[in-house]
Coordinates of all heavy atoms in Angstrom, one line a residue:
D1 N -19.8 -6.1 -22.8 CA -18.4 -5.7 -22.8 C -17.5 -6.7 -22.3 O -17.7 -7.1 -21.0 CB -18.2 -4.4 -22.1 CG -16.8 -3.8 -22.0 OD1 -15.9 -4.2 -22.7 OD2 -16.6 -3.0 -21.1
K2 N -16.6 -7.2 -23.1 CA -15.7 -8.4 -22.7 C -14.7 -7.9 -21.5 O -14.3 -8.9 -20.7 CB -15.0 -9.0 -23.8 CG -15.7 -9.6 -24.9 CD -14.9 -10.3 -25.9 CE -15.9 -10.9 -27.0 NZ -15.1 -11.5 -28.0
G3 N -14.4 -6.7 -21.4 CA -13.5 -6.2 -20.4 C -14.1 -6.1 -19.0 O -13.4 -6.0 -18.0
A4 N -15.5 -6.0 -19.0 CA -16.0 -5.8 -17.7 C -16.0 -7.0 -16.8 O -15.8 -6.9 -15.4 CB -17.6 -5.4 -17.9
A5 N -16.1 -8.2 -17.2 CA -16.0 -9.5 -16.4 C -14.7 -9.6 -15.7 O -14.6 -9.8 -14.5 CB -16.4 -10.7 -17.2
P6 N -13.5 -9.5 -16.4 CA -12.2 -9.5 -15.7 C -12.1 -8.4 -14.8 O -11.4 -8.7 -13.6 CB -11.3 -9.4 -16.8 CG -11.9 -9.9 -18.0 CD -13.3 -9.4 -17.9
D7 N -12.5 -7.2 -15.1 CA -12.3 -6.1 -14.2 C -13.2 -6.3 -12.9 O -12.7 -6.1 -11.8 CB -12.8 -4.8 -14.8 CG -11.9 -4.3 -15.9 OD1 -10.7 -4.8 -15.9 OD2 -12.1 -3.4 -16.6
L8 N -14.4 -6.9 -13.0 CA -15.2 -7.1 -11.9 C -14.6 -8.2 -11.1 O -14.6 -8.2 -9.8 CB -16.7 -7.5 -12.4 CG -17.7 -7.7 -11.3 CD1 -17.8 -6.6 -10.4 CD2 -19.0 -8.2 -11.8
C9 N -14.2 -9.2 -11.7 CA -13.5 -10.4 -11.0 C -12.3 -9.9 -10.3 O -12.1 -10.2 -9.0 CB -13.1 -11.4 -11.9 SG -12.3 -12.9 -11.1
Y10 N -11.5 -9.1 -10.8 CA -10.2 -8.5 -10.1 C -10.6 -7.7 -9.0 O -10.1 -7.8 -7.9 CB -9.4 -7.7 -11.1 CG -8.2 -7.1 -10.5 CD1 -7.1 -7.9 -10.3 CD2 -8.2 -5.8 -10.0 CE1 -6.0 -7.5 -9.7 CE2 -7.0 -5.2 -9.4 CZ -5.9 -6.1 -9.3 OH -4.9 -5.7 -8.7
R11 N -11.7 -6.8 -9.1 CA -12.2 -6.0 -8.1 C -12.7 -6.8 -6.9 O -12.4 -6.5 -5.7 CB -13.4 -5.1 -8.6 CG -13.8 -4.0 -7.6 CD -12.8 -2.9 -7.4 NE -13.3 -2.1 -6.4 CZ -12.5 -1.2 -5.8 NH1 -11.2 -1.1 -6.1 NH2 -13.0 -0.3 -4.9
K12 N -13.3 -7.9 -7.1 CA -13.8 -8.8 -6.1 C -12.7 -9.4 -5.2 O -12.6 -9.4 -4.1 CB -14.7 -9.9 -6.6 CG -16.1 -9.4 -7.0 CD -16.9 -10.6 -7.6 CE -18.3 -10.2 -8.0 NZ -19.1 -11.2 -8.5
V13 N -11.6 -9.8 -6.1 CA -10.4 -10.4 -5.4 C -9.7 -9.2 -4.6 O -9.3 -9.6 -3.5 CB -9.4 -10.9 -6.4 CG1 -8.1 -11.3 -5.8 CG2 -10.1 -12.2 -7.1
F14 N -9.5 -8.1 -5.2 CA -9.0 -7.0 -4.5 C -9.7 -6.7 -3.1 O -9.0 -6.5 -2.0 CB -9.0 -5.8 -5.3 CG -8.4 -4.5 -4.8 CD1 -7.0 -4.3 -4.7 CD2 -9.2 -3.5 -4.3 CE1 -6.5 -3.1 -4.1 CE2 -8.8 -2.4 -3.7 CZ -7.4 -2.2 -3.6
I15 N -10.9 -6.6 -3.1 CA -11.7 -6.2 -1.9 C -11.8 -7.4 -1.0 O -11.7 -7.2 0.3 CB -13.3 -5.9 -2.4 CG1 -13.2 -4.6 -3.2 CG2 -14.1 -5.9 -1.1 CD1 -12.7 -3.4 -2.5
S16 N -11.8 -8.7 -1.4 CA -12.0 -9.8 -0.5 C -10.6 -10.4 0.0 O -10.5 -11.3 0.8 CB -12.8 -10.8 -1.1 OG -12.2 -11.4 -2.2
A17 N -9.5 -10.0 -0.5 CA -8.2 -10.5 -0.2 C -7.8 -10.4 1.3 O -8.2 -9.3 1.9 CB -7.1 -9.8 -1.0
S18 N -7.3 -11.3 1.9 CA -6.9 -11.3 3.3 C -5.6 -10.6 3.5 O -5.2 -10.3 4.6 CB -6.9 -12.7 3.9 OG -6.0 -13.5 3.3
V19 N -4.8 -10.4 2.4 CA -3.5 -9.6 2.6 C -3.8 -8.2 2.1 O -4.7 -7.9 1.4 CB -2.5 -10.3 1.5 CG1 -2.1 -11.7 2.0 CG2 -2.9 -10.3 0.2
G20 N -3.0 -7.4 2.6 CA -3.2 -5.8 2.3 C -2.6 -5.6 0.8 O -1.5 -6.0 0.5
I21 N -3.4 -4.9 0.2 CA -3.0 -4.3 -1.2 C -3.2 -3.0 -1.4 O -4.2 -2.4 -0.9 CB -3.8 -5.2 -2.3 CG1 -3.7 -6.7 -2.0 CG2 -3.3 -4.8 -3.7 CD1 -4.7 -7.5 -3.0
A22 N -2.2 -2.3 -2.0 CA -2.4 -0.8 -2.4 C -2.0 -0.6 -3.7 O -1.1 -1.4 -4.2 CB -1.5 0.0 -1.4
Y23 N -2.6 0.3 -4.5 CA -2.2 0.7 -5.8 C -1.6 2.0 -5.6 O -2.0 2.8 -4.9 CB -3.5 0.9 -6.7 CG -4.1 -0.2 -7.1 CD1 -5.5 -0.5 -7.0 CD2 -3.4 -1.2 -7.9 CE1 -6.1 -1.6 -7.4 CE2 -4.1 -2.3 -8.4 CZ -5.4 -2.5 -8.1 OH -6.1 -3.6 -8.6
G24 N -0.5 2.2 -6.3 CA 0.2 3.6 -6.2 C 0.4 4.1 -7.5 O 0.6 3.4 -8.5
G25 N 0.4 5.5 -7.6 CA 0.7 6.2 -8.8 C 2.2 6.2 -9.2 O 3.0 5.8 -8.3
S26 N 2.5 6.9 -10.2 CA 4.0 7.0 -10.6 C 4.9 7.8 -9.6 O 6.1 7.6 -9.7 CB 4.1 7.6 -11.9 OG 3.6 8.9 -11.9
E27 N 4.2 8.7 -8.8 CA 5.0 9.4 -7.8 C 4.9 8.8 -6.4 O 5.4 9.4 -5.4 CB 4.6 10.8 -7.8 CG 4.8 11.5 -9.1 CD 6.3 11.5 -9.5 OE1 7.2 11.9 -8.7 OE2 6.6 11.4 -10.7
G28 N 4.4 7.6 -6.4 CA 4.2 7.0 -5.0 C 2.9 7.3 -4.3 O 2.8 7.0 -3.1
T29 N 2.0 8.1 -4.9 CA 0.8 8.4 -4.3 C -0.2 7.2 -4.3 O -0.3 6.5 -5.2 CB 0.1 9.6 -5.1 OG1 0.9 10.5 -5.3 CG2 -1.3 10.0 -4.5
I30 N -0.8 6.9 -3.1 CA -1.6 5.9 -3.0 C -3.1 6.1 -3.6 O -3.6 7.2 -3.4 CB -2.0 5.5 -1.5 CG1 -0.7 5.2 -0.7 CG2 -3.0 4.5 -1.3 CD1 -0.8 5.1 0.8
L31 N -3.4 5.3 -4.6 CA -4.6 5.6 -5.4 C -5.7 4.7 -4.9 O -7.0 5.1 -5.0 CB -4.4 5.1 -6.8 CG -3.3 5.9 -7.6 CD1 -3.0 5.4 -8.9 CD2 -3.6 7.3 -7.5
E32 N -5.5 3.6 -4.2 CA -6.6 2.7 -3.7 C -6.0 1.7 -2.7 O -4.8 1.3 -2.9 CB -7.2 2.0 -4.7 CG -8.3 1.0 -4.4 CD -9.5 1.8 -3.8 OE1 -10.4 2.2 -4.6 OE2 -9.6 1.9 -2.6
V33 N -6.6 1.4 -1.7 CA -6.2 0.3 -0.6 C -7.3 -0.6 -0.5 O -8.5 -0.2 -0.5 CB -5.7 0.9 0.7 CG1 -4.5 1.8 0.6 CG2 -6.8 1.6 1.3
N34 N -7.1 -1.9 -0.2 CA -8.1 -2.8 0.1 C -8.5 -2.8 1.5 O -7.7 -2.3 2.4 CB -7.8 -4.1 -0.5 CG -6.8 -4.9 0.3 OD1 -6.0 -4.3 1.0 ND2 -6.7 -6.2 0.1
P35 N -9.6 -3.4 1.9 CA -10.0 -3.4 3.3 C -9.0 -4.1 4.3 O -8.8 -3.6 5.4 CB -11.3 -4.2 3.4 CG -11.9 -4.0 2.0 CD -10.6 -3.9 1.1
A36 N -8.3 -5.1 3.8 CA -7.3 -5.7 4.7 C -6.1 -4.8 5.0 O -5.7 -4.8 6.1 CB -6.7 -7.0 4.0
L37 N -5.7 -4.1 4.1 CA -4.6 -3.1 4.3 C -5.1 -2.0 5.2 O -4.3 -1.6 6.3 CB -4.0 -2.5 3.0 CG -2.8 -1.5 3.3 CD1 -1.6 -2.2 3.9 CD2 -2.4 -0.9 1.9
S38 N -6.3 -1.5 5.1 CA -6.8 -0.5 5.9 C -6.9 -1.0 7.3 O -6.5 -0.2 8.2 CB -8.3 -0.2 5.3 OG -8.8 0.9 6.1
A39 N -7.3 -2.2 7.5 CA -7.5 -2.8 8.8 C -6.1 -3.0 9.5 O -5.9 -2.7 10.7 CB -8.3 -4.2 8.9
M40 N -5.1 -3.5 8.6 CA -3.7 -3.8 9.2 C -3.2 -2.4 9.8 O -2.4 -2.4 10.8 CB -2.8 -4.3 8.1 CG -3.1 -5.7 7.9 SD -2.2 -6.5 6.5 CE -1.0 -5.4 6.0
L41 N -3.4 -1.3 9.1 CA -3.0 0.0 9.4 C -3.8 0.7 10.5 O -3.5 1.9 10.7 CB -2.7 0.8 8.2 CG -1.7 0.3 7.3 CD1 -1.6 1.1 6.0 CD2 -0.2 0.1 8.0
G42 N -4.8 0.0 11.0 CA -5.6 0.6 12.0 C -6.8 1.5 11.6 O -7.2 2.3 12.5
Y43 N -7.1 1.5 10.4 CA -8.2 2.3 9.7 C -9.4 1.4 9.6 O -9.2 0.2 9.1 CB -7.8 3.0 8.5 CG -6.7 3.9 8.6 CD1 -5.4 3.6 8.5 CD2 -7.0 5.2 8.7 CE1 -4.4 4.5 8.7 CE2 -6.0 6.3 8.9 CZ -4.7 5.8 8.9 OH -3.7 6.7 9.0
G44 N -10.5 1.8 9.9 CA -11.8 1.0 9.5 C -11.9 0.9 8.1 O -11.5 1.7 7.3
T45 N -12.7 -0.1 7.7 CA -13.0 -0.2 6.3 C -13.8 1.0 5.6 O -13.6 1.3 4.5 CB -13.8 -1.4 6.0 OG1 -15.1 -1.4 6.8 CG2 -13.1 -2.6 6.3
D46 N -14.5 1.8 6.6 CA -15.0 3.0 6.1 C -14.0 4.2 6.2 O -14.5 5.3 5.9 CB -16.3 3.3 7.0 CG -15.9 3.5 8.4 OD1 -14.8 3.0 8.8 OD2 -16.7 4.2 9.1
Q47 N -12.8 4.0 6.5 CA -11.8 5.0 6.6 C -10.7 4.8 5.5 O -9.7 5.5 5.6 CB -11.2 5.1 7.9 CG -12.1 5.4 9.1 CD -11.5 5.4 10.4 OE1 -10.6 4.5 10.7 NE2 -11.7 6.4 11.2
R48 N -10.9 4.0 4.6 CA -9.8 3.8 3.6 C -9.5 5.1 2.9 O -8.4 5.2 2.4 CB -10.4 2.7 2.5 CG -10.4 1.3 3.2 CD -10.8 0.2 2.2 NE -11.2 0.6 0.8 CZ -12.1 0.0 0.1 NH1 -12.7 -1.1 0.5 NH2 -12.3 0.5 -1.1
H49 N -10.5 5.9 2.7 CA -10.3 7.2 2.1 C -9.1 8.0 2.8 O -8.5 8.8 2.1 CB -11.5 8.0 2.0 CG -12.0 8.4 3.3 ND1 -12.8 7.6 4.1 CD2 -11.9 9.6 4.0 CE1 -13.1 8.3 5.3 NE2 -12.5 9.5 5.2
K50 N -8.9 7.7 4.0 CA -7.8 8.5 4.7 C -6.4 8.2 4.3 O -5.5 8.8 4.5 CB -7.9 8.4 6.2 CG -9.2 8.9 6.8 CD -9.2 8.7 8.3 CE -10.4 9.5 8.9 NZ -10.5 9.4 10.3
L51 N -6.3 6.9 3.6 CA -5.0 6.5 3.1 C -4.8 6.9 1.6 O -3.7 7.3 1.2 CB -4.9 5.0 3.2 CG -4.8 4.5 4.6 CD1 -5.1 2.9 4.6 CD2 -3.5 4.8 5.2
V52 N -5.9 7.0 0.8 CA -5.9 7.4 -0.5 C -5.4 8.9 -0.6 O -5.9 9.8 0.1 CB -7.2 7.3 -1.2 CG1 -7.3 7.9 -2.6 CG2 -7.7 5.8 -1.2
G53 N -4.5 9.1 -1.4 CA -3.8 10.4 -1.7 C -2.6 10.7 -1.0 O -1.8 11.6 -1.3
R54 N -2.3 9.8 0.1 CA -1.1 10.0 0.8 C 0.0 9.4 -0.1 O -0.1 8.5 -0.9 CB -1.2 9.2 2.1 CG -2.1 9.9 3.1 CD -2.2 9.1 4.4 NE -0.9 9.0 5.1 CZ -0.8 8.3 6.2 NH1 -1.8 7.8 6.9 NH2 0.5 8.1 6.8
N55 N 1.3 9.7 0.2 CA 2.5 9.2 -0.4 C 2.7 7.8 0.3 O 2.7 7.7 1.6 CB 3.6 10.0 -0.3 CG 4.8 9.5 -1.1 OD1 5.4 8.6 -0.9 ND2 4.9 10.2 -2.3
L56 N 3.1 6.8 -0.4 CA 3.3 5.4 0.2 C 4.4 5.5 1.2 O 4.4 4.8 2.2 CB 3.8 4.5 -1.0 CG 4.0 3.0 -0.6 CD1 2.7 2.5 0.0 CD2 4.4 2.3 -1.8
L57 N 5.5 6.5 1.0 CA 6.6 6.6 1.9 C 6.0 7.1 3.3 O 6.7 6.9 4.3 CB 7.6 7.5 1.3 CG 8.3 6.9 0.1 CD1 9.3 7.9 -0.4 CD2 8.8 5.6 0.4
S58 N 4.9 7.8 3.3 CA 4.4 8.3 4.6 C 4.0 7.2 5.5 O 3.7 7.5 6.7 CB 3.2 9.3 4.3 OG 2.1 8.6 3.9
L59 N 3.8 5.9 5.0 CA 3.5 4.8 5.8 C 4.7 4.2 6.5 O 4.5 3.4 7.5 CB 2.7 3.8 5.0 CG 1.3 4.3 4.3 CD1 0.8 3.2 3.5 CD2 0.5 4.8 5.3
I60 N 5.9 4.5 6.1 CA 7.0 3.9 6.7 C 7.4 4.7 8.0 O 7.3 5.9 8.0 CB 8.3 4.0 5.8 CG1 7.9 3.1 4.5 CG2 9.6 3.5 6.4 CD1 9.1 3.3 3.5
C61 N 7.6 3.9 9.1 CA 7.9 4.6 10.4 C 9.1 5.5 10.1 O 10.2 5.1 9.5 CB 8.4 3.6 11.3 SG 7.0 2.5 11.9
P62 N 9.0 6.7 10.6 CA 10.0 7.8 10.5 C 11.3 7.3 11.0 O 12.4 7.6 10.5 CB 9.5 8.9 11.3 CG 8.1 8.8 11.3 CD 7.8 7.2 11.3
S63 N 11.3 6.5 12.1 CA 12.7 6.1 12.7 C 13.4 5.1 11.8 O 14.5 4.9 12.0 CB 12.4 5.4 14.1 OG 11.5 4.3 13.9
N64 N 12.7 4.5 10.8 CA 13.3 3.6 9.9 C 13.8 4.2 8.5 O 14.4 3.7 7.8 CB 12.4 2.4 9.6 CG 12.4 1.6 10.8 OD1 12.9 1.8 11.8 ND2 11.5 0.4 10.7
Q65 N 13.1 5.4 8.2 CA 13.4 5.9 6.9 C 14.8 6.1 6.5 O 15.1 6.0 5.4 CB 12.5 7.2 6.8 CG 11.0 7.0 6.6 CD 10.2 8.2 6.4 OE1 10.7 9.2 6.3 NE2 8.9 7.9 6.4
G66 N 15.6 6.5 7.5 CA 17.0 6.8 7.2 C 17.8 5.5 7.3 O 19.0 5.5 6.7
S67 N 17.4 4.5 7.9 CA 18.2 3.4 8.2 C 18.1 2.1 7.3 O 18.7 1.2 7.3 CB 18.0 2.8 9.6 OG 16.6 2.4 9.7
T68 N 17.1 2.3 6.3 CA 16.8 1.2 5.4 C 16.9 1.8 3.9 O 16.8 3.0 3.8 CB 15.5 0.6 5.6 OG1 14.4 1.4 5.2 CG2 15.4 0.0 7.0
N69 N 17.0 0.9 2.9 CA 16.9 1.4 1.6 C 15.5 1.2 1.0 O 15.4 1.3 -0.2 CB 18.0 0.8 0.8 CG 17.9 -0.6 0.5 OD1 17.0 -1.3 1.1 ND2 18.8 -1.3 -0.3
S70 N 14.6 0.8 1.7 CA 13.2 0.5 1.2 C 12.7 1.8 0.5 O 12.0 1.7 -0.6 CB 12.3 0.3 2.3 OG 12.7 -1.0 3.0
A71 N 12.8 3.0 1.2 CA 12.3 4.2 0.4 C 12.8 4.4 -0.9 O 12.2 4.7 -1.8 CB 12.5 5.4 1.4
A72 N 14.2 4.3 -1.0 CA 14.9 4.4 -2.3 C 14.4 3.4 -3.3 O 14.2 3.7 -4.5 CB 16.3 4.3 -2.1
K73 N 14.2 2.1 -2.9 CA 13.7 1.0 -3.7 C 12.3 1.3 -4.3 O 12.1 1.2 -5.5 CB 13.6 -0.3 -3.0 CG 14.8 -1.2 -3.0 CD 14.5 -2.5 -2.3 CE 15.6 -3.5 -2.5 NZ 15.2 -4.8 -1.8
I74 N 11.5 1.9 -3.4 CA 10.1 2.2 -3.8 C 10.1 3.3 -4.8 O 9.5 3.2 -5.9 CB 9.4 2.6 -2.6 CG1 9.0 1.4 -1.6 CG2 7.9 3.2 -3.0 CD1 8.5 1.8 -0.3
M75 N 10.8 4.4 -4.5 CA 10.8 5.6 -5.4 C 11.5 5.3 -6.7 O 11.0 5.6 -7.8 CB 11.4 6.8 -4.7 CG 10.5 7.3 -3.6 SD 8.7 7.5 -4.0 CE 8.8 8.6 -5.3
N76 N 12.6 4.5 -6.6 CA 13.3 4.1 -7.9 C 12.4 3.3 -8.9 O 12.3 3.5 -10.0 CB 14.5 3.4 -7.7 CG 15.7 4.4 -7.1 OD1 15.6 5.5 -7.3 ND2 16.6 3.7 -6.4
A77 N 11.6 2.4 -8.2 CA 10.8 1.5 -9.0 C 9.6 2.4 -9.6 O 9.2 2.2 -10.7 CB 10.2 0.5 -8.0
F78 N 9.0 3.2 -8.7 CA 7.9 4.1 -9.3 C 8.4 5.0 -10.5 O 7.7 5.1 -11.3 CB 7.4 5.0 -8.2 CG 6.3 4.3 -7.4 CD1 6.5 4.1 -6.0 CD2 5.1 3.8 -7.9 CE1 5.5 3.5 -5.1 CE2 4.1 3.1 -7.2 CZ 4.3 3.0 -5.8
Q79 N 9.5 5.6 -10.2 CA 10.0 6.5 -11.2 C 10.4 5.9 -12.6 O 10.3 6.3 -13.6 CB 11.1 7.4 -10.7 CG 10.6 8.4 -9.7 CD 11.7 9.0 -8.8 OE1 12.8 8.8 -9.0 NE2 11.2 10.0 -8.0
A80 N 10.9 4.7 -12.5 CA 11.3 3.9 -13.6 C 10.2 3.2 -14.3 O 10.4 2.5 -15.3 CB 12.5 2.9 -13.3
G81 N 9.0 3.1 -13.6 CA 7.9 2.2 -14.1 C 8.2 0.8 -14.0 O 7.7 0.0 -14.6
G82 N 9.0 0.4 -13.0 CA 9.3 -1.0 -12.7 C 10.8 -1.0 -12.3 O 11.4 -0.1 -12.2
P83 N 11.4 -2.2 -12.0 CA 10.8 -3.5 -12.3 C 9.9 -4.0 -11.2 O 10.1 -3.4 -10.1 CB 12.1 -4.4 -12.5 CG 13.1 -3.7 -11.5 CD 12.9 -2.2 -11.7
W84 N 8.9 -4.6 -11.4 CA 7.9 -5.1 -10.4 C 8.0 -6.6 -10.4 O 8.3 -7.2 -11.5 CB 6.6 -4.7 -10.8 CG 6.3 -3.2 -11.0 CD1 6.2 -2.5 -12.2 CD2 6.5 -2.2 -10.0 NE1 6.2 -1.2 -11.8 CE2 6.3 -0.9 -10.6 CE3 6.7 -2.2 -8.6 CZ2 6.4 0.2 -9.9 CZ3 6.6 -1.0 -7.9 CH2 6.5 0.2 -8.5
P85 N 7.7 -7.2 -9.3 CA 7.6 -6.6 -8.0 C 8.9 -6.3 -7.4 O 9.9 -6.9 -7.7 CB 6.8 -7.7 -7.3 CG 7.4 -8.9 -7.8 CD 7.6 -8.7 -9.3
I86 N 8.7 -5.3 -6.5 CA 9.9 -5.1 -5.7 C 9.6 -5.8 -4.2 O 8.5 -6.1 -3.9 CB 10.1 -3.6 -5.3 CG1 8.8 -2.8 -4.9 CG2 10.6 -2.9 -6.6 CD1 9.0 -1.5 -4.5
S87 N 10.7 -6.1 -3.5 CA 10.5 -6.9 -2.3 C 11.3 -6.3 -1.2 O 12.6 -6.0 -1.4 CB 10.9 -8.3 -2.5 OG 10.7 -9.2 -1.4
F88 N 10.7 -6.0 -0.1 CA 11.5 -5.5 1.1 C 10.7 -5.8 2.4 O 9.6 -6.1 2.3 CB 11.9 -4.1 1.0 CG 10.8 -3.2 0.8 CD1 10.1 -2.6 1.9 CD2 10.3 -2.9 -0.4 CE1 8.9 -1.9 1.7 CE2 9.1 -2.2 -0.7 CZ 8.5 -1.5 0.4
S89 N 11.4 -5.7 3.4 CA 10.7 -5.8 4.8 C 10.9 -4.4 5.4 O 11.9 -3.7 5.3 CB 11.3 -6.8 5.7 OG 11.0 -8.1 5.3
E90 N 9.8 -4.0 6.1 CA 9.8 -2.6 6.6 C 8.9 -2.5 7.8 O 8.1 -3.4 8.0 CB 9.4 -1.6 5.6 CG 9.6 -0.1 5.8 CD 11.0 0.2 6.3 OE1 11.8 0.3 5.4 OE2 11.3 0.2 7.5
Y91 N 9.1 -1.4 8.7 CA 8.0 -1.2 9.6 C 7.2 0.0 9.2 O 7.7 0.9 8.8 CB 8.7 -0.8 11.0 CG 9.3 -2.0 11.6 CD1 10.6 -2.4 11.4 CD2 8.5 -2.8 12.5 CE1 11.1 -3.5 12.0 CE2 9.0 -3.9 13.2 CZ 10.3 -4.2 12.9 OH 10.8 -5.4 13.5
C92 N 5.9 -0.2 9.2 CA 4.9 0.8 8.9 C 4.3 1.4 10.1 O 4.3 0.8 11.2 CB 3.8 0.3 7.9 SG 4.4 -0.1 6.3
I93 N 3.9 2.6 10.0 CA 3.1 3.2 11.1 C 1.7 3.1 11.0 O 1.2 3.4 10.0 CB 3.6 4.7 11.3 CG1 3.1 5.3 12.6 CG2 3.2 5.5 10.1 CD1 4.2 5.6 13.5
R94 N 1.0 2.7 12.0 CA -0.3 2.5 12.1 C -1.0 3.7 12.6 O -0.4 4.7 12.9 CB -0.8 1.4 13.0 CG -0.4 0.0 12.6 CD -0.7 -1.1 13.7 NE -1.8 -0.7 14.5 CZ -3.1 -1.1 14.2 NH1 -3.2 -1.9 13.1 NH2 -4.1 -1.0 15.0
Q95 N -2.3 4.0 12.3 CA -3.0 5.2 12.7 C -2.9 5.5 14.1 O -2.8 6.7 14.6 CB -4.5 5.1 12.4 CG -5.3 6.2 12.7 CD -6.8 6.1 12.3 OE1 -7.4 5.1 12.4 NE2 -7.4 7.2 11.9
D96 N -2.8 4.5 15.0 CA -2.6 4.8 16.5 C -1.2 5.0 16.9 O -0.9 5.1 18.1 CB -3.2 3.5 17.3 CG -2.5 2.1 17.1 OD1 -1.3 2.2 16.4 OD2 -2.9 1.2 17.5
G97 N -0.2 5.0 15.9 CA 1.2 5.3 16.2 C 1.9 4.1 16.4 O 3.2 4.2 16.5
A98 N 1.4 2.9 16.6 CA 2.1 1.7 16.7 C 2.9 1.3 15.4 O 2.3 1.9 14.3 CB 1.2 0.5 17.2
S99 N 3.9 0.5 15.5 CA 4.5 0.1 14.3 C 4.0 -1.3 13.9 O 3.6 -2.2 14.8 CB 6.1 0.1 14.4 OG 6.5 -0.7 15.4
L100 N 4.1 -1.7 12.6 CA 3.7 -2.9 12.1 C 4.7 -3.4 11.2 O 5.1 -2.7 10.2 CB 2.4 -2.8 11.4 CG 1.8 -4.0 10.7 CD1 1.4 -5.1 11.6 CD2 0.6 -3.6 9.8
H101 N 5.3 -4.5 11.5 CA 6.3 -5.1 10.4 C 5.6 -5.8 9.3 O 4.7 -6.6 9.4 CB 7.1 -6.2 11.2 CG 8.3 -6.6 10.4 ND1 8.4 -7.9 9.9 CD2 9.3 -6.0 9.9 CE1 9.5 -8.0 9.2 NE2 10.1 -7.0 9.2
V102 N 6.0 -5.4 8.1 CA 5.4 -5.9 6.8 C 6.5 -6.4 5.8 O 7.7 -6.0 6.0 CB 4.6 -4.8 6.1 CG1 3.4 -4.3 6.9 CG2 5.4 -3.6 5.7
H103 N 6.1 -7.3 5.0 CA 7.0 -7.7 3.9 C 6.3 -7.4 2.7 O 5.0 -7.8 2.6 CB 7.3 -9.2 4.0 CG 8.2 -9.7 2.8 ND1 9.5 -9.4 3.0 CD2 7.9 -10.3 1.7 CE1 10.1 -9.8 1.8 NE2 9.2 -10.4 1.1
V104 N 6.7 -6.6 1.9 CA 6.2 -6.3 0.5 C 6.9 -6.9 -0.6 O 8.1 -7.0 -0.5 CB 6.4 -4.7 0.4 CG1 5.8 -4.2 -0.9 CG2 5.7 -4.0 1.6

């Protein structure tokens, strides 16, 4: 199967990337995260499943949700099917409650 090699290559890059990567569904639901994002957010690589199924907006610090337009940018892009990529800076909440500044 000619499609298997590119898919396998992409999967290897996704897993081994040193930057955090997440896939999201059309409603902002997290479908998959790589080990780097899991670690950045304070989850072990064996705990990535705890992020899958959550809404991407649930990772934004509650104290910032009303003060930035990142949430609106994210949801508008998801609902419109693009444009991609979107770019913003935001504070995310880690599993331990600490905040983490990210650029998406």
Side-chain angles (χ1 to χ4, degrees):
D1 178 15
K2 291 183 180 182
D7 288 346
L8 181 60
C9 182
Y10 181 79
R11 185 75 182 155
K12 286 180 180 179
V13 170
F14 177 79
I15 294 296
S16 63
S18 60
V19 296
I21 303 171
Y23 287 124
S26 62
E27 297 297 319
T29 302
I30 298 170
L31 302 175
E32 180 67 83
V33 298
N34 72 342
L37 181 60
S38 184
M40 287 175 9
L41 295 176
Y43 295 86
T45 56
D46 61 333
Q47 296 179 319
R48 293 181 356 207
H49 66 277
K50 291 183 177 181
L51 293 166
V52 173
R54 290 178 58 178
N55 190 285
L56 186 60
L57 298 179
S58 72
L59 301 180
I60 296 176
C61 288
S63 61
N64 288 0
Q65 287 182 359
S67 62
T68 68
N69 67 355
S70 298
K73 274 185 167 182
I74 293 168
M75 290 314 297
N76 288 341
F78 274 119
Q79 291 170 353
W84 303 109
I86 54 176
S87 180
F88 59 89
S89 290
E90 190 56 83
Y91 285 90
C92 288
I93 188 109
R94 292 174 33 90
Q95 184 180 30
D96 62 7
S99 61
L100 172 71
H101 188 246
V102 298
H103 181 78
V104 177

